[in-house]
């Protein structure tokens, strides 16, 4: 999609704070309130705006440890891929799952309380899965940048 400067401004503002009133959004983007409302409706209908959510502080929510787990599947049959995908969808501790190139098949972003909670999760869920051959885990020591906002040039 191509965006005007005002549309990009509108999208940047709602990514920063989706609770802003329509009046505040329009004012910050230099457009009429009715135009801002119409643009928001268009973006939602087109699927560009897929959700409006509140982002929680993981540490305050009791999920301070972030783990990046590289998963290699036992095999690459349709059954194994579907089974692994179902397992990923069932676990709330898995925040993100990416099919990746390289030495592993998938990368998971997992948030848990601490190392003991991750060891339990890995042992009882990942390593016991018939679809998983191996898990290589990296513990995030420090988040240098964390954003949900897409850059709009």
């Amino acid at each position: 999609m191509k965006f005007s400067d005002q549309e990009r401004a509108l999208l940047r503002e709602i990514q920063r704070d989706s609770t802003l009133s329509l009046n505040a959004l329009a004012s910050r983007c230099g457009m009429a309130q009715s135009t801002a409302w119409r643009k928001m409706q268009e973006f939602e209908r087109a699927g560009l705006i897929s959700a409006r959510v509140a982002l929680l502080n993981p540490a305050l929510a009791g999920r301070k440890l972030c783990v990046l787990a590289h998963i290699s599947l036992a095999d690459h049959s349709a059954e194994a891929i579907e089974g692994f995908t179902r397992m990923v969808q069932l676990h709330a501790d898995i925040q993100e799952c990416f099919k990746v190139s390289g030495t592993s098949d998938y990368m998971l972003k997992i948030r848990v309380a601490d190392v003991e909670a991750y060891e339990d999760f890995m042992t009882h869920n990942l390593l016991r899965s018939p679809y998983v051959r191996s898990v290589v885990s990296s513990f995030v020591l420090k988040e240098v940048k964390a954003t949900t906002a897409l850059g709009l040039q």
Side-chain angles (χ1 to χ4, degrees), residues 9-10 18 26 30 44 46 51 75 88 92 95 101 106-107 121 142 153:
L10 180 63
S18 67
E44 287 176 348
D75 71 71
V88 165
Q95 282 193 298
S101 62
Y106 291 88
M107 186 179 80
F121 177 80
K142 180 180 182 180
Q153 308 312 326

Side-chain angles (χ1 to χ4, degrees), residues 5-128:
D5 289 343
Q6 286 182 324
E7 289 170 333
R8 276 193 298 278
L10 180 63
L11 292 167
R12 276 193 295 272
E13 289 299 326
I14 62 168
Q15 286 187 99
R16 282 189 198 112
D17 185 357
S18 67
T19 65
L20 289 172
S21 69
L22 197 54
N23 186 40
L25 279 173
S27 176
R28 289 181 183 196
C29 300
M31 60 177 65
Q33 188 170 329
S34 60
T35 303
W37 181 85
R38 184 174 45 77
K39 289 294 179 188
M40 292 289 289
Q41 297 301 309
E42 288 174 14
F43 293 152
E44 287 176 348
R45 274 193 305 277
L48 178 63
I49 297 174
S50 59
R52 298 185 200 193
V53 300
L55 302 176
L56 304 182
N57 179 317
L60 296 178
R63 297 291 187 260
K64 190 171 185 175
L65 182 65
C66 182
V67 181
L68 304 176
H70 295 266
I71 309 295
S72 293
L73 297 184
D75 71 71
H76 295 90
S77 66
E79 178 189 339
I81 293 169
E82 290 169 13
F84 176 75
T85 301
R86 274 193 310 276
M87 181 196 69
V88 165
Q89 297 296 334
L90 288 174
H91 292 288
D93 291 336
I94 300 173
Q95 282 193 298
E96 298 180 53
C97 175
F98 303 97
K99 186 170 185 165
V100 296
S101 62
T103 58
S104 60
D105 298 307
Y106 291 88
M107 186 179 80
L108 306 179
K109 178 181 174 185
I110 302 168
R111 285 258 185 205
V112 290
D114 52 31
V115 172
E116 292 79 14
Y118 178 67
E119 190 273 333
D120 183 67
F121 177 80
M122 183 179 66
T123 301
H124 293 96
N125 296 289
L126 298 177
L127 295 177
R128 288 190 185 168

